[in-house]
Amino acid sequence: MPFNGEKQCVGEDQTSDSDSSRFSESMASLSDYECSRQSFTSNSSSKSSSPASTSPPRIVTFDEVMATAKNLSDMTLAHEIAVNENFQLKQDGLPDNSLAGHVKNIVHQAFWDVLESELNADPPEYEHAIKLFEEIREILLSFLTPCGNRLRNQICEVLDIDLIRQQSEHSAVDIQGLANYVISTMGKLCAPVRDNDIRELKATGSIVEMLRQIFHVLDLMKIDMANFTIRSIRPYLQRHLVEYERTKFQEILEETPSALDQTTEWIRESVNEELLPLSETALPPGAENSSKPSLSPTLLLNNSFLKLLQWDYQKKELPETLITDGTRLQELTEKLNQLKIIACLSLITNNMVGAVTEGLPELTNRLKRISAVLLEGVNKETFNLKEVLNSIGVQTCAEVNKTLMERGLPTLNAEIQANLIGQFSSIEEEDNPIWSLIDKRIQLYMKSLLCLPSPQKCMPPVPGGLAVIQQELEALGSQYANIVNLNKQVYGPFYANILRKLLFREEVVGKVDASPPPN
């Protein structure tokens, strides 16, 4: 019995420390064979036609489209369960003030009103009640494990629909007794969090209301069961995620050969950016027909991943290999954008009034908190950044003056205040030098993170001007590096095929080895 077992021995299904360690390390490292040039020139792991080849398009059938959609759905769900420790299902209810919610409440209330009138009739009518107990029986049986035969037999014996229907013909159905048995059985199967709900069910006076609440609690128990299953399979998914996702994506690629088009263009952009300065350099005589300059595939791939930190997630499609982490990457990008603005504001404040605020860390932290609060929702289209920056400037001047007055020092004059507010407001302007400086330093920091074998164990030093956001930047950078490194492990062979084609113009092949990379 899954939920009874959850109360007693749920610890048996939890991830061991060694398993957690192996998973963390697997996300943070990219094996040598995926980084070396040999992996981009060897055909040893390739077996069929290229995902990025120039073969003519073929007609995709409806069944293939549905198979691809299912593979993508399965892969996305498995990925979310494995990497998101907080992932769980929740009851999806309609808002009561919505039209759909209002209609649903009316229909449900009408059903229970009809049931009550039938049970109160003389003689009572039991047909609807019998159907409810039949549904309840199936739900209770669905909670049992294959070894729960004794309780299964008991449920089938007590909730014998044929027998209940025979009893109804003689108006001898004990509805209250059946409901009490159901509640007692639910108490044996439910998770501990539902114990209070079971007690409330037992105290319900109206039989119709009791049946209504039984279905409500059963719905909650279904969610509990699903979440228990998720927690149970998470350790397995974490150990086999790389192999599972790579295999699933290969199935998608076989059903939809164009499933790497966006990924190819994403990587091609980095290749073109690296080749452009080289093409503008004067070539020696006779070098026109030579092969392309040697470029590092790892560097090109890292540059592609850095682009995700400035991605327009509202207007641009993500590469297919990053769909499963799209939401996480978007959240990281939005948070990083907020941190950039805070770093810019701090740098401007230090340059202009740093002499009078030096040695006042509490003031710096207070200004940081004010900026963070006012910048909430900065990535929304309706957000007026210029107006908010002006407000932050006014608040900053007020806080600085308050601190100076508390120490008996002269406050900032009107000219300095106006200059400070003006520089704050100019951050949003294109090619603002302070914004460009902070952006380059953050990009440099993130790039250095991707070059480390294990960012969790050794974080790179934070560049100058970013000390005010160091703690948040390190946490964000660690999450970003974990996403990138896991993505490299899963899709490394696919990236290798694409880069081989773009860099060496070789005929590449599309089927990759689904086995996990060597540690």
Side-chain angles (χ1 to χ4, degrees):
M1 295 179 291
F3 295 109
N4 201 29
E6 184 182 6
K7 293 180 182 179
Q8 298 171 3
C9 58
V10 68
E12 295 176 4
D13 291 312
Q14 301 304 315
T15 315
S16 66
D17 292 340
S18 61
D19 288 340
S20 300
S21 175
R22 285 196 300 271
F23 182 57
S24 298
E25 291 175 2
S26 73
M27 288 199 302
S29 65
L30 181 63
S31 58
D32 291 339
Y33 93 102
E34 289 175 319
C35 295
S36 65
R37 179 185 172 92
Q38 181 180 359
S39 69
F40 296 95
T41 58
S42 171
N43 289 326
S44 59
S45 66
S46 305
K47 299 179 182 178
S48 68
S49 61
S50 166
S53 67
T54 57
S55 58
R58 68 182 181 88
I59 298 175
V60 180
T61 66
F62 177 78
D63 289 341
E64 289 174 326
V65 171
M66 296 307 295
T68 300
K70 184 181 184 303
N71 284 332
L72 181 59
S73 176
D74 292 345
M75 185 177 70
T76 301
L77 180 59
H79 182 89
E80 193 66 26
I81 291 173
V83 303
N84 184 359
E85 294 287 344
N86 298 319
F87 177 82
Q88 62 177 353
L89 301 179
K90 296 181 180 179
Q91 193 171 27
D92 186 19
L94 296 170
D96 290 335
N97 58 349
S98 68
L99 177 60
H102 187 56
V103 171
K104 178 182 176 182
N105 290 337
I106 291 175
V107 173
H108 281 205
Q109 186 60 51
F111 172 83
W112 296 111
D113 289 344
V114 170
L115 177 64
E116 185 172 21
S117 65
E118 289 180 349
L119 294 179
N120 291 334
D122 188 17
E125 298 179 17
Y126 294 108
E127 188 57 34
H128 280 93
I130 292 173
K131 290 181 179 178
L132 290 181
F133 279 111
E134 185 175 12
E135 186 175 346
I136 289 172
R137 184 189 68 174
E138 296 308 313
I139 295 174
L140 292 177
L141 292 176
S142 72
F143 291 151
L144 302 180
T145 60
C147 60
N149 291 328
R150 192 165 69 89
L151 186 56
R152 183 185 305 276
N153 293 336
Q154 185 187 81
I155 292 173
C156 292
E157 181 180 344
V158 176
L159 298 179
D160 185 335
I161 303 304
D162 292 335
L163 177 60
I164 296 173
R165 186 165 276 112
Q166 291 175 15
Q167 293 173 341
S168 69
E169 294 174 357
H170 300 87
S171 300
V173 180
D174 184 4
I175 297 291
Q176 185 68 54
L178 292 174
N180 289 338
Y181 171 77
V182 167
I183 295 172
S184 174
T185 305
M186 290 168 63
K188 298 175 184 177
L189 298 175
C190 71
V193 71
R194 301 299 164 207
D195 288 346
N196 189 54
D197 294 323
I198 298 299
R199 284 192 292 270
E200 291 180 359
L201 277 178
K202 293 177 179 179
T204 305
S206 167
I207 184 60
V208 173
E209 183 61 24
M210 181 180 287
L211 289 172
R212 185 174 189 168
Q213 293 306 315
I214 282 174
F215 275 93
H216 172 68
V217 177
L218 285 174
D219 285 341
L220 296 177
M221 289 174 62
K222 290 178 186 177
I223 300 294
D224 295 337
M225 180 182 182
N227 287 329
F228 175 78
T229 304
I230 287 171
R231 290 194 299 273
S232 300
I233 66 174
R234 178 175 287 124
Y236 176 83
L237 286 176
Q238 289 174 340
R239 289 192 294 270
H240 301 277
L241 184 63
V242 171
E243 178 183 356
Y244 175 83
E245 282 200 46
R246 188 181 298 167
T247 302
K248 277 292 179 184
F249 192 81
Q250 182 64 50
E251 293 174 9
I252 292 173
L253 198 57
E254 290 171 357
E255 297 290 345
T256 312
S258 61
L260 278 173
D261 286 358
Q262 294 292 335
T263 302
T264 302
E265 291 306 311
W266 169 59
I267 297 176
R268 190 197 305 276
E269 189 176 339
S270 293
V271 173
N272 291 339
E273 287 177 358
E274 290 294 320
L275 290 175
L276 182 61
L278 297 175
S279 65
E280 294 175 348
T281 305
L283 294 175
E288 290 81 359
N289 296 324
S290 63
S291 61
K292 286 186 177 180
S294 177
L295 297 176
S296 166
T298 303
L299 174 64
L300 292 171
L301 196 54
N302 284 348
N303 288 345
S304 296
F305 279 109
L306 287 172
K307 292 180 182 297
L308 300 173
L309 297 176
Q310 297 176 322
W311 201 266
D312 188 343
Y313 289 88
Q314 304 301 324
K315 299 178 181 178
K316 292 180 64 177
E317 290 186 38
L318 267 175
E320 297 89 349
T321 55
L322 289 153
I323 294 296
T324 52
D325 283 307
T327 301
R328 268 176 290 276
L329 288 168
Q330 182 175 354
E331 290 174 353
L332 289 180
T333 301
E334 292 175 352
K335 180 61 178 177
L336 185 62
N337 191 35
Q338 185 185 39
L339 293 178
K340 286 180 186 178
I341 297 175
I342 293 174
C344 290
L345 299 177
S346 177
L347 185 59
I348 293 172
T349 303
N350 289 337
N351 287 342
M352 293 200 61
V353 298
V356 296
T357 61
E358 188 176 2
L360 301 174
E362 66 279 0
L363 174 61
T364 301
N365 291 332
R366 191 158 66 249
L367 295 177
K368 176 182 173 181
R369 288 195 299 271
I370 291 172
S371 299
V373 169
L374 293 177
L375 288 170
E376 283 294 330
V378 66
N379 297 284
K380 296 179 179 178
E381 291 185 3
T382 57
F383 192 87
N384 191 330
L385 181 57
K386 190 173 185 65
E387 182 179 318
V388 171
L389 290 174
N390 186 76
S391 299
I392 294 175
V394 173
Q395 289 273 12
T396 299
C397 291
E399 290 294 331
V400 171
N401 285 336
K402 178 183 176 182
T403 302
L404 293 175
M405 289 176 62
E406 290 173 351
R407 286 162 174 71
L409 300 173
T411 59
L412 304 177
N413 60 48
E415 182 181 354
I416 293 178
Q417 292 187 52
N419 194 5
L420 182 66
I421 295 172
Q423 288 204 37
F424 275 18
S425 300
S426 69
I427 289 176
E428 69 157 357
E429 296 175 2
E430 189 176 355
D431 298 327
N432 179 276
I434 295 177
W435 175 268
S436 299
L437 175 66
I438 294 297
D439 182 64
K440 287 179 181 178
R441 290 181 178 180
I442 288 179
Q443 288 285 316
L444 178 64
Y445 177 76
M446 292 298 183
K447 191 171 186 176
S448 63
L449 270 176
L450 298 186
C451 296
L452 294 177
S454 182
Q456 295 94 337
K457 297 179 180 179
C458 179
M459 299 295 289
V462 174
L466 304 180
V468 68
I469 59 171
Q470 177 173 349
Q471 185 176 357
E472 294 85 353
L473 188 61
E474 288 179 344
L476 188 149
S478 180
Q479 295 176 45
Y480 168 70
N482 285 342
I483 292 173
V484 170
N485 289 329
L486 176 59
N487 186 272
K488 286 180 178 179
Q489 284 194 324
V490 174
Y491 299 103
F494 300 101
Y495 296 145
N497 276 347
I498 294 172
L499 283 164
R500 188 186 303 120
K501 175 189 176 184
L502 295 176
L503 292 178
F504 310 119
R505 296 298 180 186
E506 294 182 9
E507 188 63 26
V508 295
V509 293
K511 189 156 186 173
V512 300
D513 185 3
S515 61
N519 292 323

